[in-house]
Amino acid sequence: MRYKSLIIVATLLLLSFSRSTAQKVTKEPLVFIQMTDTQFGFFENDQKFSKETENFEKAVAAANQLRPAFVIITGDLVNLMGDPAQIAEYKRIAAKLDPSIKLYSLPGNHDVANKPTPEILAAYRKEFGADYYTFRKGDLFAIVVNSGLISDASGAKEESEKQYRWLQSAFKKAKKSGCKSIVVFQHHPFFLENPDEKDQYFNIKIPIRKKYLQLYKENGVSHIFAGHLHRNSFGKDGEMEMVTTGPVGRPLGKDPSGFRIVTVRNGNIEHKYYGLDEMKTVVNPPKQ
Protein backbone atom coordinates (compact mmCIF):
# COMPACT_ATOMS: atom_id res chain seq x y z
CA MET A 1 0.00 0.00 0.00
CA ARG A 2 2.89 2.38 0.77
CA TYR A 3 4.29 1.72 -2.71
CA LYS A 4 0.95 2.54 -4.31
CA SER A 5 0.70 5.70 -2.19
CA LEU A 6 4.12 6.84 -3.35
CA ILE A 7 3.08 6.25 -6.97
CA ILE A 8 0.00 8.43 -6.43
CA VAL A 9 2.04 11.15 -4.74
CA ALA A 10 4.68 11.07 -7.49
CA THR A 11 1.97 11.31 -10.12
CA LEU A 12 0.39 14.30 -8.37
CA LEU A 13 3.71 16.08 -8.09
CA LEU A 14 4.39 15.50 -11.77
CA LEU A 15 0.97 16.86 -12.66
CA SER A 16 1.46 19.91 -10.45
CA PHE A 17 4.47 21.00 -12.53
CA SER A 18 3.62 19.91 -16.04
CA ARG A 19 0.14 18.44 -16.31
CA SER A 20 -0.98 20.15 -19.50
CA THR A 21 2.38 19.75 -21.26
CA ALA A 22 2.77 16.13 -20.27
CA GLN A 23 -0.70 15.22 -21.50
CA LYS A 24 0.21 16.48 -24.96
CA VAL A 25 3.27 14.27 -25.08
CA THR A 26 2.01 11.13 -23.34
CA LYS A 27 -1.26 10.02 -21.81
CA GLU A 28 -0.97 10.83 -18.12
CA PRO A 29 -3.34 9.38 -15.53
CA LEU A 30 -6.30 11.50 -14.45
CA VAL A 31 -6.15 12.54 -10.81
CA PHE A 32 -9.03 14.05 -8.87
CA ILE A 33 -9.92 14.78 -5.25
CA GLN A 34 -13.14 13.82 -3.51
CA MET A 35 -14.01 15.96 -0.50
CA THR A 36 -17.20 15.58 1.48
CA ASP A 37 -19.12 16.89 4.49
CA THR A 38 -17.48 20.28 4.92
CA GLN A 39 -20.63 20.85 6.99
CA PHE A 40 -20.03 24.31 8.39
CA GLY A 41 -21.44 24.53 11.92
CA PHE A 42 -21.37 20.85 12.90
CA PHE A 43 -18.39 21.03 15.29
CA GLU A 44 -20.13 23.50 17.60
CA ASN A 45 -23.86 22.98 16.99
CA ASP A 46 -24.22 25.97 14.66
CA GLN A 47 -22.90 28.44 17.24
CA LYS A 48 -19.82 29.08 15.10
CA PHE A 49 -17.78 27.38 12.38
CA SER A 50 -14.15 28.30 13.01
CA LYS A 51 -12.95 24.68 12.92
CA GLU A 52 -14.74 24.01 9.63
CA THR A 53 -13.13 27.17 8.22
CA GLU A 54 -9.69 25.95 9.29
CA ASN A 55 -10.22 22.47 7.82
CA PHE A 56 -11.69 23.57 4.51
CA GLU A 57 -8.97 26.16 4.01
CA LYS A 58 -6.35 23.44 4.60
CA ALA A 59 -8.09 21.16 2.11
CA VAL A 60 -8.35 23.83 -0.58
CA ALA A 61 -4.73 24.91 -0.07
CA ALA A 62 -3.59 21.29 -0.45
CA ALA A 63 -5.66 20.91 -3.62
CA ASN A 64 -4.09 24.06 -5.06
CA GLN A 65 -0.65 22.54 -4.55
CA LEU A 66 -1.56 19.05 -5.78
CA ARG A 67 -3.39 20.44 -8.83
CA PRO A 68 -5.82 17.63 -9.61
CA ALA A 69 -8.01 17.67 -12.72
CA PHE A 70 -10.99 18.51 -10.52
CA VAL A 71 -12.33 18.54 -6.96
CA ILE A 72 -15.79 17.24 -6.12
CA ILE A 73 -17.55 17.79 -2.79
CA THR A 74 -20.15 15.09 -2.18
CA GLY A 75 -22.67 16.88 -0.04
CA ASP A 76 -23.41 18.38 3.36
CA LEU A 77 -21.76 21.61 2.39
CA VAL A 78 -23.29 23.23 5.49
CA ASN A 79 -24.86 21.92 8.69
CA LEU A 80 -27.90 24.19 8.95
CA MET A 81 -29.86 24.11 5.72
CA GLY A 82 -30.23 27.55 4.14
CA ASP A 83 -28.14 29.37 6.77
CA PRO A 84 -26.75 32.50 5.07
CA ALA A 85 -23.57 32.74 7.18
CA GLN A 86 -22.62 29.08 6.74
CA ILE A 87 -23.31 29.20 3.02
CA ALA A 88 -21.31 32.42 2.62
CA GLU A 89 -18.31 30.94 4.43
CA TYR A 90 -18.43 27.76 2.35
CA LYS A 91 -18.51 29.83 -0.85
CA ARG A 92 -15.77 32.19 0.33
CA ILE A 93 -13.31 29.37 0.88
CA ALA A 94 -14.40 27.37 -2.18
CA ALA A 95 -13.59 30.45 -4.26
CA LYS A 96 -9.94 30.12 -3.16
CA LEU A 97 -9.56 26.98 -5.28
CA ASP A 98 -7.36 27.77 -8.28
CA PRO A 99 -9.67 28.64 -11.21
CA SER A 100 -7.85 26.09 -13.38
CA ILE A 101 -9.14 23.32 -11.07
CA LYS A 102 -12.81 22.70 -11.71
CA LEU A 103 -14.97 22.47 -8.58
CA TYR A 104 -18.10 20.31 -8.56
CA SER A 105 -20.55 19.86 -5.70
CA LEU A 106 -23.81 18.11 -4.89
CA PRO A 107 -26.37 18.23 -2.08
CA GLY A 108 -26.41 16.22 1.13
CA ASN A 109 -29.22 15.78 3.61
CA HIS A 110 -28.10 18.89 5.52
CA ASP A 111 -28.38 20.91 2.31
CA VAL A 112 -31.79 19.66 1.12
CA ALA A 113 -33.21 17.97 4.27
CA ASN A 114 -33.79 14.28 4.95
CA LYS A 115 -37.04 14.61 2.99
CA PRO A 116 -36.53 17.12 0.17
CA THR A 117 -39.46 19.13 -1.16
CA PRO A 118 -39.73 21.10 -4.41
CA GLU A 119 -39.32 24.34 -2.46
CA ILE A 120 -36.18 23.12 -0.71
CA LEU A 121 -34.71 21.92 -4.00
CA ALA A 122 -35.45 25.27 -5.64
CA ALA A 123 -33.63 27.09 -2.83
CA TYR A 124 -30.60 24.79 -3.14
CA ARG A 125 -30.45 25.25 -6.92
CA LYS A 126 -30.61 29.02 -6.51
CA GLU A 127 -27.62 28.97 -4.13
CA PHE A 128 -25.46 26.20 -5.61
CA GLY A 129 -26.72 25.29 -9.09
CA ALA A 130 -27.85 21.94 -10.45
CA ASP A 131 -28.29 19.09 -7.98
CA TYR A 132 -27.72 16.35 -10.60
CA TYR A 133 -25.69 16.44 -13.82
CA THR A 134 -22.91 14.75 -15.76
CA PHE A 135 -19.41 15.74 -16.80
CA ARG A 136 -16.56 14.18 -18.76
CA LYS A 137 -12.85 14.35 -17.91
CA GLY A 138 -10.55 12.40 -20.19
CA ASP A 139 -11.66 8.76 -20.18
CA LEU A 140 -13.82 9.29 -17.09
CA PHE A 141 -17.57 9.83 -17.37
CA ALA A 142 -19.00 11.17 -14.10
CA ILE A 143 -22.65 11.08 -13.08
CA VAL A 144 -23.58 13.34 -10.16
CA VAL A 145 -26.77 12.37 -8.33
CA ASN A 146 -29.00 13.97 -5.71
CA SER A 147 -29.31 10.97 -3.39
CA GLY A 148 -31.80 12.83 -1.23
CA LEU A 149 -34.30 12.06 -3.99
CA ILE A 150 -33.36 8.38 -3.62
CA SER A 151 -33.14 8.04 0.16
CA ASP A 152 -36.59 9.57 0.79
CA ALA A 153 -38.62 10.72 -2.21
CA SER A 154 -41.91 11.07 -0.34
CA GLY A 155 -41.75 14.89 -0.29
CA ALA A 156 -40.84 15.28 -3.96
CA LYS A 157 -42.04 12.23 -5.87
CA GLU A 158 -42.21 13.97 -9.25
CA GLU A 159 -38.68 15.31 -8.80
CA SER A 160 -37.44 11.83 -7.87
CA GLU A 161 -39.09 10.24 -10.90
CA LYS A 162 -37.67 12.97 -13.11
CA GLN A 163 -34.16 12.31 -11.80
CA TYR A 164 -34.58 8.56 -12.36
CA ARG A 165 -35.57 9.09 -16.00
CA TRP A 166 -32.66 11.49 -16.40
CA LEU A 167 -30.34 8.90 -14.84
CA GLN A 168 -31.40 6.30 -17.40
CA SER A 169 -30.62 8.72 -20.22
CA ALA A 170 -27.32 9.70 -18.60
CA PHE A 171 -26.21 6.07 -18.61
CA LYS A 172 -27.06 5.77 -22.29
CA LYS A 173 -25.00 8.88 -22.96
CA ALA A 174 -22.11 7.45 -20.95
CA LYS A 175 -22.12 4.19 -22.89
CA LYS A 176 -22.08 6.01 -26.20
CA SER A 177 -19.28 8.33 -25.11
CA GLY A 178 -16.48 5.80 -25.53
CA CYS A 179 -15.24 6.43 -21.98
CA LYS A 180 -13.24 3.77 -20.13
CA SER A 181 -14.70 4.45 -16.67
CA ILE A 182 -18.17 5.37 -15.43
CA VAL A 183 -18.43 6.58 -11.83
CA VAL A 184 -21.26 7.99 -9.76
CA PHE A 185 -20.96 10.67 -7.08
CA GLN A 186 -23.71 10.99 -4.47
CA HIS A 187 -24.05 11.87 -0.79
CA HIS A 188 -25.68 8.78 0.71
CA PRO A 189 -23.91 5.42 0.37
CA PHE A 190 -26.23 2.62 -0.70
CA PHE A 191 -24.45 0.37 1.79
CA LEU A 192 -21.39 0.59 4.00
CA GLU A 193 -19.81 -2.85 3.68
CA ASN A 194 -22.31 -5.31 2.23
CA PRO A 195 -25.12 -4.76 -0.30
CA ASP A 196 -27.38 -7.01 1.82
CA GLU A 197 -26.73 -5.29 5.15
CA LYS A 198 -29.66 -4.18 7.31
CA ASP A 199 -31.25 -0.77 6.90
CA GLN A 200 -29.87 2.01 9.08
CA TYR A 201 -29.53 5.79 9.08
CA PHE A 202 -26.29 5.84 7.10
CA ASN A 203 -27.37 3.60 4.21
CA ILE A 204 -30.35 3.46 1.84
CA LYS A 205 -33.30 1.13 2.46
CA ILE A 206 -32.97 -2.30 0.88
CA PRO A 207 -35.82 -2.18 -1.71
CA ILE A 208 -34.63 1.17 -3.10
CA ARG A 209 -30.99 0.12 -2.74
CA LYS A 210 -31.51 -3.00 -4.83
CA LYS A 211 -33.33 -1.09 -7.56
CA TYR A 212 -30.54 1.46 -8.00
CA LEU A 213 -27.65 -0.95 -7.54
CA GLN A 214 -29.08 -3.10 -10.32
CA LEU A 215 -29.42 -0.04 -12.56
CA TYR A 216 -25.83 1.02 -11.84
CA LYS A 217 -24.38 -2.45 -12.41
CA GLU A 218 -26.31 -2.97 -15.66
CA ASN A 219 -24.82 0.26 -16.96
CA GLY A 220 -21.19 -0.45 -16.14
CA VAL A 221 -20.57 1.75 -13.09
CA SER A 222 -17.24 0.78 -11.55
CA HIS A 223 -17.26 3.01 -8.45
CA ILE A 224 -19.78 4.96 -6.38
CA PHE A 225 -18.21 7.72 -4.27
CA ALA A 226 -20.26 8.96 -1.31
CA GLY A 227 -19.95 10.66 2.08
CA HIS A 228 -22.56 11.06 4.85
CA LEU A 229 -20.94 8.59 7.27
CA HIS A 230 -18.17 10.93 8.52
CA ARG A 231 -15.67 8.10 8.39
CA ASN A 232 -14.33 5.76 5.70
CA SER A 233 -16.02 2.54 4.67
CA PHE A 234 -15.78 0.20 1.70
CA GLY A 235 -17.84 -2.56 0.14
CA LYS A 236 -18.48 -4.26 -3.17
CA ASP A 237 -21.53 -5.40 -5.09
CA GLY A 238 -19.98 -7.75 -7.60
CA GLU A 239 -17.21 -5.75 -9.25
CA MET A 240 -18.78 -2.38 -8.41
CA GLU A 241 -17.13 -0.65 -5.45
CA MET A 242 -19.00 1.46 -2.91
CA VAL A 243 -16.53 4.02 -1.54
CA THR A 244 -17.65 6.03 1.48
CA THR A 245 -15.25 8.85 2.33
CA GLY A 246 -14.49 10.58 5.61
CA PRO A 247 -15.22 14.28 6.10
CA VAL A 248 -13.31 17.49 5.61
CA GLY A 249 -15.37 18.64 8.59
CA ARG A 250 -16.12 16.85 11.85
CA PRO A 251 -15.24 13.13 12.02
CA LEU A 252 -17.50 10.60 13.75
CA GLY A 253 -15.00 7.79 14.05
CA LYS A 254 -11.30 7.00 14.10
CA ASP A 255 -10.60 8.47 10.67
CA PRO A 256 -9.35 12.07 10.82
CA SER A 257 -10.73 14.97 8.83
CA GLY A 258 -9.36 14.69 5.29
CA PHE A 259 -10.11 13.84 1.67
CA ARG A 260 -9.62 11.13 -0.94
CA ILE A 261 -7.17 11.26 -3.84
CA VAL A 262 -8.27 9.19 -6.83
CA THR A 263 -6.13 8.15 -9.81
CA VAL A 264 -7.74 6.93 -13.05
CA ARG A 265 -5.44 5.14 -15.45
CA ASN A 266 -6.57 3.16 -18.53
CA GLY A 267 -9.95 2.43 -16.99
CA ASN A 268 -8.47 1.37 -13.64
CA ILE A 269 -9.19 3.39 -10.51
CA GLU A 270 -7.04 3.60 -7.38
CA HIS A 271 -7.82 5.75 -4.37
CA LYS A 272 -6.49 6.58 -0.93
CA TYR A 273 -7.77 8.70 1.94
CA TYR A 274 -5.44 11.28 3.49
CA GLY A 275 -5.93 13.13 6.77
CA LEU A 276 -5.49 16.89 6.55
CA ASP A 277 -2.42 16.70 8.75
CA GLU A 278 -0.82 14.29 6.26
CA MET A 279 -1.02 16.84 3.48
CA LYS A 280 2.34 18.46 4.28
CA THR A 281 4.02 15.10 3.70
CA VAL A 282 2.07 14.48 0.50
CA VAL A 283 2.72 17.92 -0.95
CA ASN A 284 6.33 18.05 0.25
CA PRO A 285 7.47 14.42 0.59
CA PRO A 286 10.61 13.87 2.70
CA LYS A 287 13.86 13.51 0.77
CA GLN A 288 15.03 9.92 0.40
Side-chain angles (χ1 to χ4, degrees):
M1 289 298 295
R2 179 168 175 77
Y3 178 70
K4 286 185 178 179
S5 298
L6 290 172
I7 291 174
I8 292 173
V9 171
T11 299
L12 284 165
L13 290 171
L14 172 63
L15 291 176
S16 70
F17 291 108
S18 56
R19 184 177 66 192
S20 60
T21 303
Q23 284 179 337
K24 292 178 182 178
V25 177
T26 182
K27 188 102 172 181
E28 293 293 340
L30 175 78
V31 178
F32 70 85
I33 290 175
Q34 180 207 5
M35 300 183 189
T36 194
D37 297 272
T38 48
Q39 207 161 333
F40 281 80
F42 188 31
F43 269 105
E44 300 205 37
N45 299 314
D46 301 317
Q47 297 304 303
K48 57 182 181 178
F49 40 74
S50 55
K51 184 60 177 175
E52 287 87 357
T53 291
E54 177 187 343
N55 284 10
F56 195 26
E57 285 186 332
K58 281 183 180 179
V60 169
N64 283 338
Q65 289 185 276
L66 295 171
R67 302 198 62 76
F70 65 89
V71 172
I72 184 162
I73 304 178
T74 51
D76 280 2
L77 312 178
V78 300
N79 190 57
L80 185 61
M81 183 180 68
D83 183 80
Q86 293 179 6
I87 291 172
E89 185 69 345
Y90 167 82
K91 288 183 175 181
R92 181 186 73 81
I93 300 170
K96 293 186 175 184
L97 188 68
D98 190 294
S100 67
I101 305 169
K102 180 67 176 177
L103 177 65
Y104 300 96
S105 63
L106 59 91
N109 56 297
H110 281 267
D111 304 308
V112 294
N114 287 318
K115 185 170 74 173
T117 65
E119 294 76 19
I120 288 172
L121 293 171
Y124 173 87
R125 291 163 184 165
K126 183 178 179 180
E127 285 286 358
F128 299 105
D131 52 323
Y132 55 90
Y133 52 92
T134 66
F135 64 90
R136 175 82 182 265
K137 291 289 183 180
D139 290 330
L140 180 76
F141 194 100
I143 299 177
V144 178
V145 176
N146 179 353
S147 60
L149 293 172
I150 298 173
S151 179
D152 187 347
S154 61
K157 290 183 179 179
E158 289 186 8
E159 289 277 5
S160 179
E161 291 168 0
K162 181 180 178 181
Q163 179 180 244
Y164 188 80
R165 292 191 299 271
W166 169 85
L167 192 52
Q168 290 175 310
S169 66
F171 281 129
K172 290 179 181 177
K173 181 180 177 182
K175 286 182 174 181
K176 292 179 180 178
S177 71
C179 65
K180 292 183 178 180
S181 301
I182 301 173
V183 301
V184 174
F185 296 102
Q186 58 189 58
H187 181 64
H188 299 77
F190 286 113
F191 59 91
L192 304 181
E193 297 177 354
N194 190 306
D196 297 319
E197 68 193 22
K198 293 181 180 179
D199 294 345
Q200 55 143 301
Y201 174 76
F202 287 110
N203 63 22
I204 289 177
K205 292 180 180 179
I206 288 175
I208 303 170
R209 183 193 313 168
K210 287 185 175 180
K211 174 184 176 180
Y212 278 85
L213 287 176
Q214 186 62 33
L215 177 67
Y216 285 20
K217 285 191 294 183
E218 286 176 351
N219 286 282
V221 173
S222 66
H223 291 70
I224 308 164
F225 291 94
H228 189 50
L229 183 63
H230 289 254
R231 63 179 175 83
N232 293 294
S233 189
F234 307 93
K236 278 191 148 187
D237 186 1
E239 294 301 311
M240 183 171 63
E241 187 171 352
M242 180 74 248
V243 182
T244 305
T245 294
V248 170
R250 180 183 173 185
L252 295 178
K254 294 181 180 180
D255 299 311
S257 302
F259 58 69
R260 186 171 304 281
I261 298 175
V262 185
T263 303
V264 185
R265 182 188 290 105
N266 296 323
N268 297 313
I269 294 178
E270 296 179 355
H271 53 87
K272 179 175 170 54
Y273 185 80
Y274 290 90
L276 292 176
D277 290 338
E278 294 180 77
M279 284 298 104
K280 289 181 181 178
T281 303
V282 175
V283 174
N284 300 299
K287 294 180 180 179
Q288 299 297 318

